Amino acid sequence: MANRSRVTIREVAERVGVHPSTVSRVLNPATRGRITPEIAEKVTKAANDLGYTPNQAARGLRTNRTRTIGVLIPDITNPLFPPIIRGIEDALGESGYTAIIGNTDNLAVRETEAVSTMRARQIDGLVLATARRDDPLVSQCVADGLPLVLVNRTADADGVSSIVNDDALGIALAVSHLKDLGHTKIAHIAGPLELSTGEARQRSFLEALQKEGLSPADCPVAETNAFSEDEGLRTAAELFAEGLSFTAIVAANDLIALGAYEAIADIGLRCPEDISVTGFNDMPFVDRLSPPLTTIRIPHYELGREAARRLVELIETPDSSARATTLRPELIVRGSTASPDR
Amino acid sequence: MANRSRVTIREVAERVGVHPSTVSRVLNPATRGRITPEIAEKVTKAANDLGYTPNQAARGLRTNRTRTIGVLIPDITNPLFPPIIRGIEDALGESGYTAIIGNTDNLAVRETEAVSTMRARQIDGLVLATARRDDPLVSQCVADGLPLVLVNRTADADGVSSIVNDDALGIALAVSHLKDLGHTKIAHIAGPLELSTGEARQRSFLEALQKEGLSPADCPVAETNAFSEDEGLRTAAELFAEGLSFTAIVAANDLIALGAYEAIADIGLRCPEDISVTGFNDMPFVDRLSPPLTTIRIPHYELGREAARRLVELIETPDSSARATTLRPELIVRGSTASPDR
DNA sequence: AACAACTGTGCAATCGTTTGCATGAAACGA
DNA sequence: TCGTTTCATGCAAACGATTGCACAGTTGTT
């Protein structure tokens, strides 16, 4: 029926016997009020009958607004990101926007590349899940006046909106949980410090120690180069090799925790009997590991929704100002944490 | 620097002192040959200097080709789909195309809805990962002449291109593996039969039994209503309740296998000592389950790449004909399969 | 009753590219 | 040398929607 050649506003106009501009005004909610209800009625009916849908390319050309936004993520294959994307797309859909996604594999070149192809497509704004603390791309977008929201990770630059997890709370929950179990010597395996998440979680860990009255001398901190299982394994192994006597590990994320699992097994210890481990993120299936991972659940979906909502707000009310929002995480206690032996 | 107001072809033309159409021809690879090399040179230089990027909205309006394609998936949050999407986007990127993604949650209304908003955006084609065997949306798109490729699942309708896994081979590998271990009584928990994957795997199971010389009477088949853990649990429990004496379960996918794990534990048996289980898909982290899941690895990323390549081909050479392609899966042996006790 | 204000609709320009056609110049064959 | 073909480029008309302005008709004010 409806062939690929679409029905235009002109055909609707001819059908009703009015000028195309009248049809346009009827179909635009903002101007519908200016048209006689009777005519508006006829126009909407004709538009429905003919199956009219506006040509977004034409509209975008004229208005310079495509209702399309770009989303940059490191890798959709990382289970962290799909819920964020889903949240973004759901929220965008409600406002008539659409997302195009770019995977950057954490490579700066691919980031700038992706942004320029997105700009060629006249995106109205950008959601970045790839921000580094010091990120030229962020400053560039801000300088160009491109509406921008950071999600998951934030950047040090100010004047930019961001929706991130409350990492301080998350880490405090983990440390407090371990202390309640009786742990006093707790190690932290930190993420990369050039990422806001890595830095914030490490800083929060130190703050939490203080708040809980634990001695930093008993609580070593090691840093990884990436939020990966390999790095978690390598770094945990290093901690053990130093002969430290901690009884628990607060990992900066779940993958690092997985690496820690391996390191613990490698030296013949058991989790949680000998060493407790906490993760961060609550990725899918970490409840199926052995032992099931005690971790911090981040509201990823809500992070995405909120980011999209904020971006639409930035686009549609240009005077709205940048602000940083944090969402509250939740401690999920499973089998990887227990009281230390003595 | 580059403000949001973009540099147009006209500015480039003025800078060089030629007509806009000349710039257009230089920038279009197909017509560059018709321009004096010397001028072409100057134009490309000016375009670079000014940081010109074509306005895709304008181009799309004029050419009716947006180099945008739509991708419909049930839910990006299902770990099956991100690799497919990644494959699609990577392949599209190589051809200058971009994808917009729609999550449909397997709801027919959301599917048609998503397709119509995508069509409003003038997509050049569609990749469907949501096809049911009898799918009105598929027939509709074919009828409308919208270039279409099915991925992961196919439909019964012919004349439509599809890229799917070779389920017959996958199931054959699983059955053969179990028979080699000594199993003769093997159950199959099938997926929904209205999906091509559910039907093909069940049919292939019966074929494989015959090929391996196993008695169908000893090999019960039960059907689920969804590829989910809950359904796997429910259906496996039913099989056990019937008092059948099988020693292995071939699950139609990994989630169903997970459900089977639970059902096995619920009746006090162990996997693989009492019952072997095979999955299908090799989802992330099934190697971390206990026991690690023996499963069939599907080349999801390649499925996506191939689907995108095929779609671009369909779009750019309109006389190319539809064909169905299958990609070869691989048996991944882990800890959930073992020889039966006796 | 005359003029002002308002209202609803049409007119036409515009957004940035692409592309069929026209044009003038150059190249070629006879 | 003239007529014809070829070639490189300019011209202008699209593509489909939006929107400032104009205009005619109506309503309101004094």
Side-chain angles (χ1 to χ4, degrees):
Chain A
M1 180 188 318
N3 203 8
R4 287 205 64 197
S5 62
R6 310 272 311 299
V7 26
T8 80
I9 213 170
R10 161 177 270 114
E11 300 173 47
V12 177
E14 276 169 10
R15 168 77 91 93
V16 182
V18 297
H19 195 268
S21 62
T22 303
V23 176
S24 171
R25 286 189 259 254
V26 171
L27 267 23
N28 180 342
T31 47
R32 170 172 299 132
R34 330 202 68 212
I35 303 295
T36 315
E38 187 186 342
I39 292 195
E41 177 72 18
K42 284 205 280 191
V43 168
T44 31
K45 178 169 186 321
N48 284 336
D49 289 356
L50 271 52
Y52 170 79
T53 49
N55 181 322
Q56 296 286 350
R59 172 181 289 178
L61 177 59
R62 176 62 224 247
T63 61
N64 251 321
R65 301 251 333 274
T66 55
R67 291 181 169 266
T68 302
I69 69 119
V71 178
L72 247 53
I73 53 168
D75 179 14
I76 197 180
T77 277
N78 181 333
L80 195 64
F81 297 107
I84 296 181
I85 294 174
R86 183 73 204 257
I88 291 175
E89 299 205 324
D90 285 358
L92 287 181
E94 289 166 10
S95 313
Y97 283 72
T98 303
I100 60 189
I101 316 246
N103 295 280
T104 67
D105 294 318
N106 279 319
L107 265 33
V109 274
R110 300 201 54 177
E111 287 171 18
T112 53
E113 198 178 280
V115 168
S116 62
T117 77
M118 285 174 173
R119 291 185 137 210
R121 288 176 181 275
Q122 316 292 114
I123 53 165
D124 294 339
L126 199 55
V127 174
L128 283 186
T130 55
R132 278 172 288 274
R133 283 174 54 213
D134 175 20
D135 198 323
L137 194 57
V138 172
S139 347
Q140 179 68 40
C141 290
V142 172
D144 292 356
L146 182 70
L148 175 69
V149 173
L150 308 181
V151 68
N152 187 45
R153 304 173 183 170
T154 183
D156 289 347
D158 44 27
V160 41
S161 282
S162 59
I163 319 282
V164 298
N165 176 61
D166 186 340
D167 285 343
L169 174 57
I171 289 289
L173 288 169
V175 171
S176 157
H177 166 63
L178 290 169
K179 191 197 170 200
D180 289 352
L181 287 172
H183 295 272
T184 56
K185 300 177 174 182
I186 305 174
H188 176 52
I189 305 187
L193 297 188
E194 74 264 22
L195 302 183
S196 68
T197 42
E199 190 275 337
R201 291 171 197 174
Q202 169 166 355
R203 182 164 35 78
S204 306
F205 178 74
L206 298 172
E207 287 166 10
L209 293 183
Q210 185 150 31
K211 203 163 49 190
E212 298 288 344
L214 298 173
S215 156
D218 292 335
C219 297
V221 172
E223 289 157 20
T224 57
N225 298 319
F227 278 116
S228 73
E229 192 171 343
D230 286 351
E231 277 292 291
L233 168 58
R234 182 183 67 76
T235 311
E238 275 177 25
L239 276 179
F240 287 127
E242 290 174 28
L244 274 24
S245 63
F246 53 87
T247 59
I249 295 176
V250 171
N253 86 345
D254 289 347
L255 290 173
I256 292 177
L258 251 61
Y261 272 23
E262 278 183 67
I264 292 169
D266 285 351
I267 61 168
L269 296 181
R270 288 160 311 160
C271 171
E273 293 82 352
D274 302 309
I275 306 267
S276 288
V277 173
T278 66
F280 213 104
N281 276 350
D282 194 27
M283 290 193 331
F285 297 103
V286 295
D287 56 332
R288 313 302 294 258
L289 301 175
S290 61
L293 183 65
T294 294
T295 189
I296 303 297
R297 176 176 297 163
I298 296 183
H300 288 116
Y301 179 80
E302 279 303 330
L303 241 35
R305 275 194 79 86
E306 196 54 35
R309 269 201 289 258
R310 178 71 55 82
L311 184 57
V312 170
E313 180 189 326
L314 280 174
I315 293 169
E316 300 194 340
T317 70
D319 52 341
S320 59
S321 62
R323 56 191 196 277
T325 302
T326 60
L327 266 41
R328 297 176 66 87
E330 181 183 0
L331 172 70
I332 307 291
V333 177
R334 300 204 181 94
S336 66
T337 47
S339 292
D341 271 351
R342 301 135 284 174
Chain B
M1 181 188 316
N3 204 8
R4 284 204 67 194
S5 62
R6 311 267 314 299
V7 24
T8 79
I9 216 172
R10 162 176 269 114
E11 298 172 50
V12 177
E14 275 169 11
R15 167 78 90 94
V16 182
V18 298
H19 194 268
S21 62
T22 303
V23 176
S24 170
R25 287 191 258 254
V26 170
L27 267 24
N28 181 341
T31 47
R32 170 173 299 131
R34 331 202 64 213
I35 303 294
T36 315
E38 188 185 343
I39 293 195
E41 176 71 17
K42 284 205 282 194
V43 168
T44 32
K45 182 170 182 323
N48 284 336
D49 289 356
L50 269 53
Y52 169 79
T53 49
N55 182 321
Q56 296 286 352
R59 171 180 292 179
L61 177 58
R62 178 61 223 248
T63 61
N64 251 321
R65 302 254 331 275
T66 54
R67 288 178 169 269
T68 302
I69 68 119
V71 178
L72 246 54
I73 53 169
D75 180 13
I76 198 179
T77 276
N78 180 333
L80 195 66
F81 297 107
I84 295 180
I85 294 173
R86 184 73 205 258
I88 292 174
E89 299 204 324
D90 285 358
L92 286 181
E94 290 165 12
S95 314
Y97 283 72
T98 303
I100 61 188
I101 315 244
N103 296 279
T104 66
D105 294 317
N106 280 320
L107 266 36
V109 273
R110 301 200 54 178
E111 288 171 18
T112 53
E113 198 178 280
V115 168
S116 63
T117 77
M118 285 176 173
R119 292 187 136 209
R121 288 176 182 274
Q122 315 292 119
I123 51 164
D124 294 338
L126 198 57
V127 174
L128 284 186
T130 55
R132 276 173 289 274
R133 282 175 53 212
D134 175 21
D135 198 324
L137 193 58
V138 172
S139 349
Q140 178 68 42
C141 290
V142 171
D144 292 356
L146 183 69
L148 174 70
V149 173
L150 308 181
V151 69
N152 186 47
R153 303 173 185 171
T154 184
D156 290 346
D158 44 24
V160 40
S161 282
S162 60
I163 319 281
V164 299
N165 176 62
D166 186 340
D167 285 343
L169 174 57
I171 290 290
L173 288 170
V175 171
S176 157
H177 166 63
L178 290 169
K179 191 199 169 198
D180 289 352
L181 286 172
H183 294 273
T184 56
K185 300 178 173 183
I186 306 174
H188 177 51
I189 305 187
L193 297 189
E194 74 265 23
L195 302 183
S196 68
T197 43
E199 190 275 335
R201 290 171 197 174
Q202 167 166 355
R203 182 164 35 78
S204 306
F205 178 73
L206 298 173
E207 286 165 11
L209 293 183
Q210 184 151 29
K211 203 162 50 188
E212 298 288 345
L214 297 173
S215 156
D218 292 336
C219 297
V221 173
E223 288 158 23
T224 57
N225 297 320
F227 279 115
S228 72
E229 192 172 340
D230 287 351
E231 275 292 291
L233 167 58
R234 182 183 67 75
T235 311
E238 276 176 23
L239 277 179
F240 288 128
E242 291 173 29
L244 276 21
S245 63
F246 53 87
T247 58
I249 295 176
V250 170
N253 85 346
D254 290 347
L255 290 173
I256 291 178
L258 251 62
Y261 272 22
E262 278 183 69
I264 292 169
D266 285 353
I267 59 166
L269 296 182
R270 288 160 310 159
C271 171
E273 292 83 351
D274 302 309
I275 305 268
S276 288
V277 173
T278 67
F280 214 105
N281 276 353
D282 194 27
M283 292 194 329
F285 298 103
V286 295
D287 55 332
R288 312 304 294 258
L289 301 176
S290 62
L293 183 64
T294 294
T295 190
I296 303 296
R297 175 178 296 163
I298 295 183
H300 288 116
Y301 179 80
E302 280 302 331
L303 242 35
R305 277 192 78 86
E306 196 53 35
R309 269 201 290 256
R310 178 71 55 82
L311 184 58
V312 170
E313 180 190 326
L314 279 174
I315 293 169
E316 301 195 339
T317 69
D319 52 341
S320 58
S321 62
R323 56 190 196 278
T325 302
T326 60
L327 265 42
R328 295 176 68 83
E330 180 183 4
L331 172 70
I332 307 291
V333 177
R334 300 204 181 92
S336 66
T337 48
S339 292
D341 271 349
R342 312 138 270 173

